[in-house]
Amino acid sequence: MELISLLQHNVPFFLTSVFVLGLMIGSFLNVVIYRLPVMMEREWKTQAQEYLGRGDETDEESPFSLSTPASHCPACGHKIRFYENIPLLSYLLLRGKCSACQASISLRYPLIELLTGVLSLVVAWHFGFGWQTGAALLLTWALIALSMIDIDHQLLPDSITLPFLWLGLLLSLFPVFADMRASLIGAIAGYLALWTVYQLFKLVTGKEGMGFGDFKLLALLGAWMGWQALPMIVLLSSAVGAVLGGGLILFQGRDRAQPMPFGPYLAIAGWIALLWGDQISHAYLRWSGMA
């Protein structure tokens, strides 16, 4: 109780605690981002072998999960000690290299840790101590994992999107961000909106413009924030996609014909709408002379 009271009444301590927690969660998200797609690929392979009646021919693979095997250097197999796995600090002390073989450690790992810490800090600063902060932190961490997996594999795992969709509906019972009616309509409308766009695009072009994971992600965001937030999320995601996609083409020479994942744009737009959706709406209404 004393700790809760301290977190509630001491703002610097509360914000610092959330930032440190975000760094630690970021370290865990690095594991999720790398291992979850591998786990899914192994599961699909096993299911395919069983479907084809070749289950006995499947090569036995070593156990692989979020906790097994222990973290190790991919170059030399050196097991990462606990003091070599302190978010940000270990990377700096090791100078970005494995302590055993001196192989370079990707800068991406500390960047994701830092990103998670900073976004967690922003959430805590915006909402303050309370249930909204706890829920928003969970959603923020899920969106980071989904975005990075989609960037790497053009995949939005159901094992993340579906539980968080249900969590959004559950939170509407209280409500935390949206009431139950708005949340339920938001989940349905979010899915059907992109599903309709997908079907129309496929009908006109004969191509698939996006994946089913995008439908579920927008349904998730609709469940959390209600149907009223969906138009803003779609517009913001289009704007974010235009800016970031244009930047990749302009500065990195990315092929225009190369598919670009839409999930990260939805995630960024949803996170912005969660924190500043009302302010953006009011600013637009004032600018347009409607308020």
Side-chain angles (χ1 to χ4, degrees):
M1 294 299 293
E2 291 183 2
L3 178 59
I4 294 177
S5 178
L6 183 60
L7 289 170
Q8 186 174 4
H9 297 102
N10 190 319
V11 175
F13 179 74
F14 169 62
L15 295 178
T16 301
S17 299
V18 171
F19 177 69
V20 173
L21 175 63
L23 293 178
M24 293 188 292
I25 295 297
S27 180
F28 173 69
L29 292 183
N30 277 320
V31 176
V32 174
I33 292 165
Y34 170 71
R35 296 195 180 198
L36 184 56
V38 177
M39 293 164 55
M40 296 175 65
E41 182 179 352
R42 288 191 174 199
E43 183 179 358
W44 295 335
K45 180 180 177 181
T46 300
Q47 291 175 350
Q49 293 286 358
E50 291 176 350
Y51 178 79
L52 295 173
R54 300 175 181 174
D56 295 337
E57 301 177 13
T58 303
D59 296 332
E60 288 193 13
E61 297 178 301
S62 58
F64 193 87
S65 67
L66 296 181
S67 58
T68 305
S71 297
H72 59 277
C73 172
C76 68
H78 167 69
K79 289 187 178 181
I80 307 300
R81 305 179 183 92
F82 75 92
Y83 54 83
E84 295 175 328
N85 203 27
I86 303 172
L88 287 185
L89 184 59
S90 292
Y91 184 87
L92 295 175
L93 293 176
L94 293 171
R95 298 181 180 180
K97 297 181 179 180
C98 171
S99 62
C101 68
Q102 299 301 304
S104 296
I105 301 172
S106 174
L107 184 60
R108 169 171 165 165
Y109 296 120
L111 287 180
I112 289 178
E113 293 169 353
L114 182 60
L115 174 67
T116 308
V118 170
L119 295 187
S120 299
L121 178 62
V122 173
V123 166
W125 176 267
H126 181 81
F127 290 112
F129 183 85
W131 289 108
Q132 282 191 323
T133 291
L137 286 174
L138 292 176
L139 180 59
T140 299
W141 301 335
L143 292 177
I144 292 172
L146 286 170
S147 297
M148 297 308 300
I149 292 174
D150 202 20
I151 290 172
D152 290 342
H153 303 280
Q154 287 73 59
L155 177 70
L156 293 168
D158 285 349
S159 54
I160 298 178
T161 53
L162 296 185
F164 273 85
L165 191 158
W166 286 109
L167 179 58
L169 293 173
L170 178 63
L171 291 173
S172 71
L173 297 175
F174 295 97
V176 177
F177 297 108
D179 61 63
M180 186 172 13
R181 180 183 177 87
S183 177
L184 182 59
I185 295 175
I188 297 172
Y191 188 93
L192 290 179
L194 291 188
W195 180 85
T196 302
V197 171
Y198 166 87
Q199 294 296 342
L200 290 175
F201 184 84
K202 186 176 182 180
L203 181 64
V204 173
T205 67
K207 301 177 181 179
E208 297 182 353
M210 61 183 68
F212 279 63
D214 297 319
F215 315 161
K216 299 169 190 175
L217 178 54
L218 188 56
L220 179 163
L221 297 172
W224 276 72
M225 288 168 266
W227 63 269
Q228 299 91 335
L230 291 177
M232 177 184 297
I233 293 173
V234 172
L235 288 174
L236 283 175
S237 64
S238 299
V240 171
V243 172
L244 295 184
L248 289 174
I249 293 173
L250 182 62
F251 297 108
Q252 294 189 358
R254 186 185 180 102
D255 186 356
R256 295 173 183 267
Q258 184 178 353
M260 300 180 69
F262 191 53
Y265 306 147
L266 281 175
I268 293 171
W271 190 80
I272 293 173
L274 179 70
L275 272 67
W276 300 292
D278 290 340
Q279 293 92 321
I280 294 174
S281 295
H282 294 156
Y284 173 77
L285 291 175
R286 288 195 300 270
W287 174 78
S288 62
M290 300 174 63

